Amino acid sequence: MPSIDYRDAVGGALLVAVGAAFAIYSWIHYPLGTVTRMGAGMVPFILGEILAIFGAMTLVASTSHEGTFPEIRVATPLVVLASVVVFAVVVIPFGLLPAAFLATLIAAFADLSFRPFRNLVLAAVLSGGAYLIFSVGLQLPLPIFAWPF
């Protein structure tokens, strides 16, 4: 029985699939042009090919050492998806900072080791980063704090 690292094999196969999909889509829908006069599809096509090549290298390398089949937990992606939904629902009525803070706290429950102090600090830092990026840097017209009552 061949030894295989299933986590690397699945990850490599996903990278091959995503890279090939990007390369094929850009090849079909955009002009590639030439190397000296690149078209709109040249960069996504090349990046898709590079991603597929790295995925193939990871897939081949996964056969050289043995690994365990990873535990599949359905709750983790559902918690992360719930944090995105909470952000989308909260950002307009309450503002950017409360939405980012709450979404970070909810997403922290996806980790098996929940540490309250670390997660509060992480939520504060990410909320500050969201403020700097979206309000200061991009100057988006999002309210920082809003009180709907």
Side-chain angles (χ1 to χ4, degrees):
M1 181 174 189
S3 63
I4 187 167
D5 188 358
Y6 293 104
R7 185 184 312 208
D8 284 350
V10 170
L14 287 174
L15 287 176
V16 168
V18 169
F22 272 99
I24 290 169
Y25 183 85
S26 63
W27 183 38
I28 291 172
H29 290 88
Y30 300 113
L32 294 180
T34 63
V35 175
T36 56
R37 294 188 53 92
M38 290 188 203
M42 180 69 77
V43 172
F45 178 76
I46 291 174
L47 290 177
E49 284 182 337
I50 290 171
L51 185 64
I53 289 169
F54 284 154
M57 290 168 53
T58 304
L59 187 60
V60 169
S62 71
T63 61
S64 66
H65 57 282
E66 190 170 348
T68 61
F69 196 75
E71 176 187 351
I72 298 174
R73 293 187 342 226
V74 178
T76 299
L78 292 178
V79 169
V80 173
L81 182 62
S83 73
V84 173
V85 170
V86 165
F87 180 85
V89 169
V90 171
V91 71
I92 297 300
F94 290 100
L96 177 66
L97 290 181
F101 192 84
L102 191 60
T104 304
L105 283 181
I106 292 172
F109 282 105
D111 190 12
L112 289 179
S113 62
F114 183 76
R115 297 185 188 116
F117 180 72
R118 181 193 68 173
N119 293 338
L120 288 172
V121 170
L122 177 66
V125 168
L126 289 180
S127 297
Y131 168 72
L132 290 175
I133 291 170
F134 296 113
S135 293
V136 176
L138 296 175
Q139 297 177 351
L140 292 178
L142 287 172
I144 303 305
F145 284 106
W147 192 252
F149 304 109

